[in-house]
Amino acid sequence: MTEGEYDEEYADLGATTENAMEIAETSMDIVRQFVPDETLADRVRQKSVHSMGDIEFQHLLEFTGGDELGDDEDAPVRAGARAVLEEATIVTDITMAKAGVTGRGHDCETRKAIGNGAELAKETGMTRTAASVLEFDKRGVYDDSIAVVGNAPTAAFALADCIENGTRPAAIVATPVGFVKAEESRQRVREVSEEHGVPAITNVGRRGGSGLAAALTNELIHVASDVRTGELELDRTASDRATRRDE
Amino acid sequence: MTEGEYDEEYADLGATTENAMEIAETSMDIVRQFVPDETLADRVRQKSVHSMGDIEFQHLLEFTGGDELGDDEDAPVRAGARAVLEEATIVTDITMAKAGVTGRGHDCETRKAIGNGAELAKETGMTRTAASVLEFDKRGVYDDSIAVVGNAPTAAFALADCIENGTRPAAIVATPVGFVKAEESRQRVREVSEEHGVPAITNVGRRGGSGLAAALTNELIHVASDVRTGELELDRTASDRATRRDE
């Protein structure tokens, strides 16, 4: 593998120096021993395992919603990658998730909701993150965006409400963490995702967090980069991809 | 609990509105059902469980090094809280960890190493984070600091090298995540921590990450706040604290 290829493959892991690329390569090689490598969803599963340092995390991801090809597990990855190629805005809930989204391999604007809607939060007592999502939605920021919720269950609930009211993000990555409403908030995102056909990548259980959300978003960017260089096409379903691979 | 008390208790979880404080309170109540609440180390264990969304994570933390009271499990928490009270610099490896450290409840400067030492990284091929730690160390940034490594094993190795060469952070929080050298890097931090008496909070296993590192650092800030308001004193060992609590 030449230095240029390293750069291509691991840029979204933040690796630019020789040592960093070796580490990133070894690390993803280990991950691929334990996670399938057939579909685009598998790539997202691999990234989740890498980010969480836990082989079993691959079984906790859910892929919901669909695109014009169908509602197979790759649909949210295709939709997310297409949105990256179309330079959609990447909107995160909090600063930490924004900080984890790579600046390389895309021309998307990256914004965080937190810090907006302070008055609404003060007036209503709702969380700052929920208020910030509603405020951004009022300004139309979430339509056609890649909507990322890494931390706050209340932000995920607010985003689901917006979708129910007609907002249509291009794709959602929602992985809030914790013991209070985190799981329920992701379940609600899955419900609106399936009801309104909005593609979403979420996880089940109590774990998650901004690091995971950023890593999964970075994989959408990575897939988009591979489309840009001609290494893969987006107009195939997961089963088509898995089948042709076996030929 | 009055609103002011809420604010005091959950500010380090980022909660300022009424809803957010209720969520933070409920969440920490759940955590306390499963994690002991006797020592200062227990508070850090609670925070790890809250941050990771995983009850069992409490058993993966290690507390090494000592202060003038001894090398009991509370020593790194006391040292970290003292450093917060003395307005030590909080130095993180990457932007994400810095973004997760609360801005409230302390007057410490928060800095990130990444972005420094670019020439060294280019010359040697070492990772950008490792080079940034060495560069910051050369400038004396790590002495008396709260040194936080959330993501990069190579940064933790570099920090350990600096300590072996005489650098003395006030306290270390090191939780790099992943399959390549993450565990080994934290083991190395524990070795220099014990050999040179530098207080450190680390974890075992492959999990970890910037969210965890930020959460543990925020608990040091929280402990410092409780000292400032007179709710607790730092001049007691873990066993003294646990014993007196039972009386």
Side-chain angles (χ1 to χ4, degrees):
Chain A
M1 204 180 246
T2 69
E3 206 181 302
E5 284 171 291
Y6 268 130
D7 204 354
E8 190 60 48
E9 183 150 12
Y10 298 111
D12 66 308
L13 295 176
T16 54
T17 65
E18 203 179 312
N19 278 12
M21 286 167 201
E22 275 169 26
I23 292 166
E25 186 193 29
T26 309
S27 186
M28 287 308 290
D29 281 351
I30 292 168
V31 170
R32 285 194 199 101
Q33 288 174 27
F34 299 100
V35 190
D37 193 27
E38 298 201 328
T39 66
L40 297 181
D42 286 338
R43 288 181 54 161
V44 175
R45 292 187 182 103
Q46 289 171 4
K47 190 58 80 72
S48 79
V49 165
H50 181 266
S51 161
M52 300 298 275
D54 181 353
I55 295 290
E56 306 312 336
F57 204 87
Q58 62 182 300
H59 306 297
L60 304 179
L61 289 188
E62 299 275 331
F63 301 84
T64 51
D67 65 1
E68 66 277 11
L69 291 188
D71 61 356
D72 57 296
E73 66 173 27
D74 280 2
V77 193
R78 291 192 300 263
R82 263 187 225 109
V84 172
L85 292 169
E86 287 162 11
E87 301 179 15
T89 305
I90 298 171
V91 193
T92 71
D93 56 341
I94 64 164
T95 312
M96 237 188 134
K98 181 173 184 287
V101 175
T102 180
R104 293 183 294 164
H106 66 91
D107 294 305
C108 302
E109 184 186 8
T110 310
R111 304 179 67 174
K112 58 179 177 180
I114 190 81
N116 298 283
E119 279 194 18
L120 181 63
K122 207 173 169 184
E123 276 166 33
T124 60
M126 71 171 67
T127 68
R128 291 182 300 147
T129 40
S132 71
V133 168
L134 297 181
E135 173 62 29
F136 255 24
D137 185 58
K138 211 170 69 183
R139 297 192 219 152
V141 178
Y142 279 108
D143 271 316
D144 303 316
S145 75
I146 299 171
V148 181
V149 182
N151 184 73
T154 54
F157 276 119
L159 181 64
D161 287 346
C162 297
I163 290 166
E164 204 156 68
N165 291 328
T167 300
R168 292 290 174 269
I172 297 171
V173 174
T175 63
V177 59
F179 297 98
V180 177
K181 306 276 183 197
E183 172 137 71
E184 293 87 335
S185 76
R186 287 184 257 97
Q187 177 57 38
R188 173 110 168 88
V189 169
R190 282 191 288 276
E191 282 163 16
V192 297
S193 162
E194 292 189 329
E195 195 175 331
H196 301 286
V198 178
I201 303 172
T202 57
N203 67 293
V204 296
R206 285 179 288 257
R207 295 168 60 192
S210 296
L212 176 63
L216 302 190
T217 306
N218 289 345
E219 189 58 31
L220 300 178
I221 292 167
H222 195 166
V223 169
S225 296
D226 286 350
V227 173
R228 209 181 283 114
T229 58
E231 279 176 67
L232 64 82
E233 309 149 17
L234 288 179
D235 58 347
R236 295 168 62 185
T237 62
S239 62
D240 174 40
R241 213 174 285 275
T243 313
R244 280 210 234 165
R245 197 186 164 88
D246 293 338
E247 276 165 9
Chain B
M1 205 180 244
T2 69
E3 204 180 305
E5 284 170 291
Y6 269 132
D7 203 354
E8 191 59 49
E9 184 152 10
Y10 299 110
D12 67 309
L13 295 177
T16 54
T17 66
E18 202 179 310
N19 278 12
M21 285 165 199
E22 276 170 26
I23 292 167
E25 186 193 28
T26 308
S27 187
M28 286 309 289
D29 281 350
I30 293 170
V31 169
R32 284 192 200 104
Q33 289 175 27
F34 298 100
V35 189
D37 193 27
E38 299 201 328
T39 67
L40 298 182
D42 286 338
R43 289 180 54 160
V44 175
R45 290 186 182 104
Q46 289 171 4
K47 190 59 79 74
S48 78
V49 165
H50 181 267
S51 161
M52 300 296 276
D54 180 355
I55 296 290
E56 307 312 336
F57 205 87
Q58 62 183 302
H59 307 297
L60 303 180
L61 288 188
E62 299 276 330
F63 300 84
T64 51
D67 66 1
E68 66 278 10
L69 291 188
D71 61 355
D72 59 295
E73 65 172 28
D74 280 2
V77 193
R78 291 193 299 264
R82 264 188 224 107
V84 172
L85 292 169
E86 286 162 12
E87 301 178 15
T89 305
I90 299 171
V91 192
T92 70
D93 56 340
I94 64 165
T95 313
M96 236 189 134
K98 181 172 185 288
V101 174
T102 180
R104 293 184 293 165
H106 68 91
D107 293 305
C108 302
E109 185 187 7
T110 309
R111 303 180 67 174
K112 57 179 177 180
I114 191 79
N116 298 284
E119 279 193 20
L120 182 62
K122 208 173 169 184
E123 276 165 34
T124 59
M126 73 171 63
T127 68
R128 291 182 300 148
T129 40
S132 72
V133 168
L134 298 181
E135 172 63 28
F136 255 23
D137 185 59
K138 212 171 68 182
R139 297 192 218 155
V141 178
Y142 279 107
D143 271 316
D144 303 316
S145 76
I146 299 171
V148 181
V149 182
N151 184 72
T154 54
F157 276 118
L159 181 64
D161 287 345
C162 298
I163 290 165
E164 203 156 68
N165 292 327
T167 300
R168 292 291 173 266
I172 297 171
V173 174
T175 62
V177 57
F179 297 97
V180 177
K181 305 275 184 198
E183 171 137 72
E184 294 87 334
S185 76
R186 288 185 255 95
Q187 178 57 37
R188 172 111 169 87
V189 168
R190 283 192 287 277
E191 281 163 17
V192 298
S193 163
E194 291 189 329
E195 195 176 332
H196 301 285
V198 178
I201 303 171
T202 57
N203 66 294
V204 297
R206 284 178 289 257
R207 294 167 60 191
S210 295
L212 176 63
L216 303 189
T217 305
N218 289 346
E219 190 58 31
L220 300 178
I221 292 167
H222 195 167
V223 169
S225 296
D226 286 352
V227 173
R228 209 182 283 115
T229 59
E231 278 177 66
L232 64 83
E233 309 149 15
L234 287 179
D235 58 346
R236 296 168 61 187
T237 62
S239 61
D240 175 40
R241 212 174 286 274
T243 313
R244 281 210 234 165
R245 197 187 163 87
D246 292 339
E247 275 167 8

